Amino acid sequence: MTVEDRGGGSRGEDRRMDRSRPASATRDLERYAGLFASRTRVMTSSAMRDLMAITERPDVISLAGGLPDTSTFPAETLAAVMARVAADASARALQYGPTDGLLAARETICTVMAQGGAEAHPDDVLVTTGGQQVIDLVCKALIDPGDVIVAEGPTYPGAVPAFSAYQADVVQIAMDADGMRVDELEETLDRLEREGRRPKFIYTVPTFQNPAGVTLSLPRRRRLVEVAHQRELIVLEDDPYGLLRFEGEPLPTLYELDGGHFVVYAGTFSKILAPGVRLGWAVAPRPVLEKLNLGAQASTLCPSPFAQLFVIAYLESGHWPAYVAELVALYRRRRDVMLEALAAHLPAEASWTRPEGGLFVWATLPDFLDTTDLLALALRRNVAFVPGRAAYLDGRGGSSLRLNFSGSSDEAIREGIARIGLVVREQLDLYGTLTGRMPAVPARADERAERASELADVLALPRRGRGEARRRDTR
Ligand SMILES: Cc1ncc(COP(=O)(O)O)c(C=O)c1O
């Protein structure tokens, strides 16, 4: 007997029954519970996905998503490129394709990688349904329950559900303004070795990291690749943002420094074209690539030929470099707006990163404030962010938050940060009232910078006005 039989009819009937008799929902849950695989017990939902339903409300200013601004993509260009695909390759676009992707798509990907300075061969490329699928496929190929993955702390919140689904034991390495602390990584690898545990891979977003916004320095890049070679460890380099640089000199990717031995590179068109095309790629050493390919066969059969032909035609149209330049200029301005708003509205106890590219700022509040609780209060004021805990697997990150600046207008960013600032100050005042003291605020900017040295490319924040300081001090 199938679940549906036991439920008393077709799915359609089930749904009708659910609607008319909501009490049956609990019974249904119990009925299904025995069928789920044990791994579903540790599967978690992505914080951003959960937030998306709320943040889609038009009255909510969402600084939570990682959304690029797709409104800047000219509709006429989209129509023209689609028309070209329809005219030139309609049958191919509508057909299944090879699992590793169309050759022309893999060649196009190699030209995109060359923009970032990396040379790749089309035979080393697997086209995927976004960068997210690369993370999933790497876990699928390498992770048995209990295996160790080393990641940055904080890590990309969207990777957390993937790591959890494969029941990995994730060890997170602290970061500062120069990205992952590679010295701490080495100490951790030594400790794991003593415990007889060899990590299956190191996951990193070295450039304009999501969520921290920081970039791994060149010396650390070199050292990380050396460490991978010495210890024969795979590094998964996730690089959605490398081409979105607002300032500073481009750095070589880990893939480039590695020379094709231990680095698996994950790229995507989501942030340099549009996430709706759902197209990304992996470049990996052949034996790894073969396993990724097998995993992809089981999950998607092949990446969408329609999407691939669209991307190929769009890049051939010659509009792409100007479009990326436009995005860079737009996001640079929005980053500046956000940094100004943070300086104006967050209290002196807060610190935040200053990204040189990408989409995110990571802010840290005094450690007695919990940003998960704060989010509930912020949502009441119709503003959302990602609470820091979403970027850790061990409960850390409670006083931090991720703020996105690419997906909102200048006005929305200003207003959103002002509302968050209000909620934060209310909580600080409440803390002061309840404890009878104000949190210790280091007197000098250099002391504050030291305190916030974790992830601190800390801005010199304006001091509080005298009157305000007095008001707080008398509480
Ligand atoms: C670091 C990182 N990796 C992967 C992804 C997933 O992107 P895609 O749309 O290519 O699946 C994102 C999306 O925000 C990301 O920030």
Side-chain angles (χ1 to χ4, degrees):
M1 189 161 68
T2 66
V3 170
E4 281 180 6
D5 291 342
R6 278 189 278 151
S10 70
R11 268 193 195 167
E13 278 173 42
D14 269 355
R15 274 197 219 113
R16 277 197 299 279
M17 282 169 62
D18 276 349
R19 249 180 271 140
S20 59
R21 285 191 293 154
S24 68
T26 324
R27 249 198 359 261
D28 278 353
L29 258 182
E30 282 164 12
R31 186 185 291 149
Y32 291 115
L35 303 176
F36 293 131
S38 55
R39 87 177 72 86
T40 60
R41 283 200 282 276
V42 287
M43 281 166 83
T44 55
S45 174
S46 153
M48 288 111 57
R49 298 273 112 198
D50 289 347
L51 276 172
M52 226 159 183
I54 303 170
T55 56
E56 267 173 8
R57 283 183 4 218
D59 50 336
V60 173
I61 296 175
S62 178
L63 306 176
L67 306 189
D69 191 337
T70 43
S71 71
T72 54
F73 195 89
E76 8 3 310
T77 309
L78 178 64
V81 175
M82 300 263 267
R84 199 181 137 201
V85 172
D88 295 354
S90 132
R92 270 176 92 209
L94 300 176
Q95 192 50 273
Y96 289 112
T99 301
D100 52 358
L102 303 171
L103 175 60
R106 288 182 280 120
E107 285 169 349
T108 300
I109 284 165
C110 291
T111 60
V112 169
M113 286 191 66
Q115 290 278 319
E119 246 179 65
H121 192 278
D123 288 352
D124 297 332
V125 176
L126 174 78
V127 185
T128 61
T129 305
Q132 188 70 28
Q133 196 192 7
V134 179
I135 301 173
D136 184 68
L137 291 176
V138 170
C139 288
K140 199 180 199 180
L142 299 179
I143 300 298
D144 286 318
D147 279 350
V148 175
I149 298 172
V150 177
E152 289 141 343
T155 191
Y156 162 48
V160 171
F163 296 160
S164 302
Y166 289 95
Q167 297 163 276
D169 182 3
V170 182
V171 178
Q172 291 184 267
I173 308 292
M175 290 197 287
D176 60 21
D178 285 335
M180 193 200 311
R181 293 261 315 271
V182 178
D183 56 339
E184 190 179 315
L185 168 74
E186 289 185 68
E187 283 165 24
T188 304
L189 293 174
D190 287 342
R191 174 177 61 78
L192 289 168
E193 198 176 309
R194 286 195 298 277
E195 293 167 4
R197 303 165 80 208
R198 185 164 181 260
K200 284 297 182 67
F201 67 91
I202 300 168
Y203 172 71
T204 173
V205 184
T207 311
F208 317 132
Q209 202 243 11
N210 177 1
V214 295
T215 293
L216 191 69
S217 67
L218 183 57
R220 287 195 191 172
R221 282 173 193 244
R222 291 196 199 287
R223 184 63 199 146
L224 177 54
V225 170
E226 266 169 28
V227 168
H229 282 225
Q230 283 163 2
R231 300 183 186 238
E232 304 204 327
L233 286 175
I234 286 180
V235 176
L236 172 53
E237 175 180 32
D238 191 1
D239 187 28
Y241 307 109
L243 293 181
L244 297 179
R245 177 175 279 281
F246 313 147
E247 61 198 36
E249 284 305 303
L251 295 172
T253 56
L254 300 174
Y255 170 78
E256 233 180 306
L257 295 172
D258 168 61
H261 301 288
F262 291 103
V263 172
V264 174
Y265 179 92
T268 177
F269 286 104
S270 286
K271 306 295 155 62
I272 52 170
L273 175 49
V277 299
R278 303 308 303 132
L279 221 56
W281 67 92
V283 188
R286 271 324 140 77
V288 179
L289 201 70
E290 277 166 23
K291 297 293 182 205
L292 303 185
N293 184 305
L294 290 177
Q297 286 178 36
S299 57
T300 48
L301 297 180
C302 64
S304 156
F306 189 89
Q308 292 175 78
L309 289 164
F310 172 79
V311 169
I312 295 164
Y314 177 65
L315 266 74
E316 276 175 7
S317 76
H319 293 297
W320 180 65
Y323 183 60
V324 174
E326 205 181 300
L327 288 178
V328 166
L330 180 70
Y331 297 167
R332 182 194 294 119
R333 196 188 72 222
R334 289 182 177 172
R335 175 210 55 182
D336 291 343
V337 168
M338 180 169 278
L339 293 178
E340 268 174 36
L342 286 166
H345 297 290
L346 280 204
E349 297 88 333
S351 62
W352 53 87
T353 56
R354 184 182 188 285
E356 293 189 332
L359 311 190
F360 306 105
V361 170
W362 177 255
T364 299
L365 305 174
D367 56 13
F368 55 84
L369 287 186
D370 188 307
T371 54
T372 309
D373 296 342
L374 210 65
L375 176 62
L377 299 172
L379 284 173
R380 272 202 234 147
R381 292 188 189 272
N382 288 337
V383 60
F385 54 79
V386 172
R389 261 193 248 285
Y392 286 87
L393 288 96
D394 58 8
R396 280 185 291 163
S399 60
S400 296
L401 58 155
R402 189 193 76 175
L403 297 162
N404 167 264
F405 52 79
S406 60
S408 303
S409 68
D410 296 4
E411 301 73 49
I413 292 171
R414 282 192 199 100
E415 178 59 28
I417 296 294
R419 291 183 198 175
I420 291 171
L422 198 65
V423 175
V424 170
R425 282 197 307 279
E426 278 171 4
Q427 292 307 298
L428 284 179
D429 285 349
L430 185 63
Y431 176 87
T433 308
L434 292 177
T435 61
R437 63 195 150 91
M438 282 311 294
V441 182
R444 296 194 322 267
D446 56 346
E447 278 176 337
R448 217 181 51 238
E450 200 179 300
R451 195 172 60 111
S453 65
E454 242 184 71
L455 282 184
D457 189 358
V458 183
L459 296 174
L461 301 180
R463 308 226 134 251
R464 232 193 250 116
R466 266 193 178 183
E468 197 186 349
R470 217 177 303 123
R471 184 173 62 76
R472 283 164 188 272
D473 289 343
T474 52
R475 292 200 172 186

